[in-house]
Amino acid sequence: AFCAGDFNGDNVVTNADTPGFVAALLAGGACPAPPAFCPGDFNSDGIVDGSDLPGFLAKLFAGGACP
């Protein structure tokens, strides 16, 4: 299942996902075409950029539970 911010696939967003988010943020650009998911795209605009940082931090600090 898709979980925004979960870069290591453990179904929770923790500090362990931070390097993956930073790498995606620095790489920038468009997300892969569906059905591939893009865990760094928090605002669903199809791009990982600075506008996704608040969403990642909010989920991280809220405990990171995935649905």
Side-chain angles (χ1 to χ4, degrees):
F2 172 76
C3 178
D6 182 20
F7 281 84
N8 64 359
D10 64 356
N11 208 38
V12 66
V13 178
T14 64
N15 286 336
D17 297 296
T18 301
F21 180 77
V22 171
L25 183 64
L26 293 176
C31 292
F37 77 99
C38 189
D41 184 19
F42 276 82
N43 63 359
S44 300
D45 66 355
I47 301 169
V48 178
D49 59 16
S51 63
D52 297 300
L53 182 59
F56 178 77
L57 293 176
K59 187 153 194 177
L60 180 67
F61 294 139
C66 291

